[in-house]
Amino acid sequence: MVMKHYPAEFKADAVALYRSRPGATIAQVADDLGVNRETLRSWVRADDQRRGVTAGPAAPAAGSVEDENAALRRRVRELEEERDILRKAARYFAGGDALVNRFQFVADHQARYGVKRLCTAIGVSRSSFYYWRSTAEARAARHAADVALVGRIRAVHAEHDGTYGAPRVTAELRDAGLAINRKRVARVMRRFGVQGLRLRRRTRTTVPDPAAAKAPDLIGRDFTAGQPNQRYVGDITYLPVGDRGFLYLATVLDLHSRRLAGWAIADHMRTDLVINALHAARRTRGSLHGAIMHTDHGAQYTSRAFAAACTAAGVRQSMSAVGSSADNAAAESFNATFKRETLQGRRAFTDEREARLTTFRWMHRYNTIRRHSRLGQQPPITYEKNTRPTPATLAPAA
């Protein structure tokens, strides 16, 4: 049995034995005597103090070196294991939500490395991982619901030529009886890569005539009207065709319902183009008497021929400030939307026939089907019917 209390003679002999063997270590002598290594070391230290010897740095015990070597070997193994963990984890972080991918990596490798080791190596908290794992069933249900929803979203998106974004898709789904909010639709569209069309920069076609007579601005950037057939805006935009050709589109837009009351398309920008659009609006409405026609200062709109056509139709002319696109913003916005949704990123229509047929189809859908954000996601003709009865002076849409 190892003694716990040693007589003074035993301590002195043990110290003397250690000093008599210069090549021996404290650990070796202590093992020979069957005493604790630290106990023998304390006896040697106390003897040095009695003798007035200043203790230098103690020689490392053989046991301590072995322990250090073992610790170093463990550390090397840990570093090699961590390197292997990070190499495997890199494949999980190639794309998508990095945090979710980290959790999935821990779940897939926890049997081999353990959750604590994995979470430490890739920098996530264990509590977050356990929460993620506990909500797996709810996530699976949400994913299944999103997959079902995106099927309906894609159907709406395709029906409207891929032009609708989240607000209009949401309105379509609600009208179909699905209780859903826009934020969820936007999230699902973002997740599955379903996108509406974005606005492209507009190229101006206005060519002012400095010598022409100018009409006053009767709108003042107030692009609203209390009833249909009170205020209109007109503009011209170009349609790129083939490699170098162009067609030109003139429009007449009602500011009450944003209804396209009249339009004309031609291969020129002469005054006849805008007069024909005005005549088309007159046929649609039956009469334009007393209405305001607001345009920019393009030479077609400042011409005497167009002024005479407005007078004959009982229309009062109004013009925006020279060089200010904001003063005719409603018409410019309409034209930009038209080209964005018909060209859909292409530089030009294939040929004149495609340009004319595509324009005709889009204009009809715009008035009757396409939802308008300003009108509470209603098409213009539907909005007119829902806001007030059509006056007796208005003819059915052409």
Side-chain angles (χ1 to χ4, degrees):
M1 178 179 292
V2 179
M3 293 185 294
K4 296 183 179 180
H5 302 285
Y6 301 93
E9 293 86 355
F10 182 87
K11 297 178 182 179
D13 290 341
V15 172
L17 178 63
Y18 167 69
R19 295 191 188 284
S20 68
R21 299 168 60 183
T25 64
I26 287 180
Q28 292 172 334
V29 174
D31 291 343
D32 289 345
L33 296 176
V35 300
N36 184 277
R37 298 174 183 180
E38 291 302 320
T39 299
L40 178 57
R41 186 174 284 109
S42 68
W43 293 345
V44 173
R45 194 179 299 117
D47 184 65
D48 287 341
Q49 290 175 353
R50 283 194 303 271
R51 295 166 57 195
V53 177
T54 303
S64 299
V65 172
E66 293 174 359
D67 292 344
E68 290 178 3
N69 287 337
L72 288 173
R73 286 192 293 271
R74 286 194 301 272
R75 181 56 181 159
V76 169
R77 287 195 298 271
E78 289 175 357
L79 290 174
E80 289 176 345
E81 185 179 77
E82 183 173 330
R83 179 197 61 191
D84 293 340
I85 290 173
L86 293 176
R87 282 178 177 175
K88 294 177 181 179
R91 292 193 293 270
Y92 282 73
F93 306 155
D97 186 339
L99 185 58
V100 170
N101 291 337
R102 290 182 186 187
F103 289 153
Q104 188 62 56
F105 173 75
V106 174
D108 292 346
H109 295 83
Q110 60 181 327
R112 176 174 179 180
Y113 298 105
V115 172
K116 181 178 179 180
R117 184 81 181 91
L118 290 167
C119 289
T120 301
I122 64 176
V124 297
S125 69
R126 281 183 288 167
S127 60
S128 297
F129 166 73
Y130 287 126
Y131 174 79
W132 175 84
R133 192 171 65 179
S134 68
T135 57
E137 186 175 344
R139 284 198 312 278
R142 186 165 59 250
H143 173 74
D146 286 352
V147 169
L149 177 60
V150 78
R152 301 186 65 172
I153 289 174
R154 283 176 172 149
V156 171
H157 197 248
E159 182 182 353
H160 295 276
D161 302 329
T163 61
Y164 274 14
R168 291 187 175 91
V169 170
T170 303
E172 288 284 337
L173 295 175
R174 285 176 177 171
D175 279 0
L178 183 63
I180 194 169
N181 62 51
R182 183 185 60 81
K183 289 184 178 180
R184 186 184 174 200
V185 171
R187 177 182 62 80
V188 172
M189 291 180 69
R190 211 166 33 244
R191 177 182 178 187
F192 291 94
V194 182
Q195 294 183 343
L197 292 178
R198 299 180 181 274
L199 185 64
R200 298 176 61 190
R201 178 174 291 183
R202 178 180 184 271
T203 301
R204 290 183 58 83
T205 56
T206 301
V207 181
D209 181 359
K214 305 298 188 296
D217 185 352
L218 304 179
I219 296 293
R221 297 190 182 183
D222 178 14
F223 299 108
T224 62
Q227 296 180 10
N229 205 27
Q230 289 184 334
R231 289 180 168 187
Y232 293 91
V233 291
D235 198 10
I236 301 174
T237 191
Y238 73 96
L239 308 181
V241 178
D243 293 334
R244 299 181 180 179
F246 291 96
L247 291 177
Y248 299 93
L249 172 69
T251 55
V252 178
L253 198 70
D254 192 312
L255 287 180
H256 170 71
S257 61
R258 294 302 195 268
R259 179 176 179 175
L260 182 64
W263 60 278
I265 189 169
D267 59 359
H268 61 80
M269 286 190 6
R270 295 190 294 272
T271 304
D272 289 348
L273 177 66
V274 295
I275 292 177
N276 289 340
L278 181 67
H279 288 167
R282 186 177 183 180
R283 289 193 300 271
T284 297
R285 291 305 196 186
S287 172
L288 297 178
H289 186 76
I292 293 173
M293 181 65 179
H294 184 77
T295 65
D296 58 28
H297 283 255
Q300 300 85 353
Y301 294 113
T302 58
S303 66
R304 292 181 179 178
F306 184 72
C310 288
T311 300
V315 171
R316 291 183 293 163
Q317 278 190 273
S318 170
M319 290 186 182
S320 59
V322 176
S324 174
S325 61
D327 286 347
N328 201 24
E332 296 199 6
S333 175
F334 171 85
N335 288 336
T337 299
F338 160 71
K339 286 203 287 187
R340 181 177 73 246
E341 295 189 359
T342 52
L343 286 171
Q344 298 195 14
R346 294 184 298 164
R347 296 182 61 88
F349 294 103
T350 304
D351 52 34
E352 181 176 333
R353 182 175 184 276
E354 184 204 5
R356 289 180 179 275
L357 291 179
T358 301
T359 299
F360 173 79
R361 177 177 180 271
W362 190 91
M363 296 298 185
H364 175 72
R365 291 173 62 87
Y366 171 85
N367 275 337
T368 59
I369 297 176
R370 184 186 181 278
R371 295 177 182 274
H372 200 298
S373 58
R374 184 185 173 278
L375 309 178
Q377 300 299 352
Q378 299 179 78
I381 291 179
T382 301
Y383 178 78
E384 286 188 358
K385 292 178 179 178
N386 291 339
T387 52
R388 61 177 285 118
T390 304
T393 57
L394 300 185

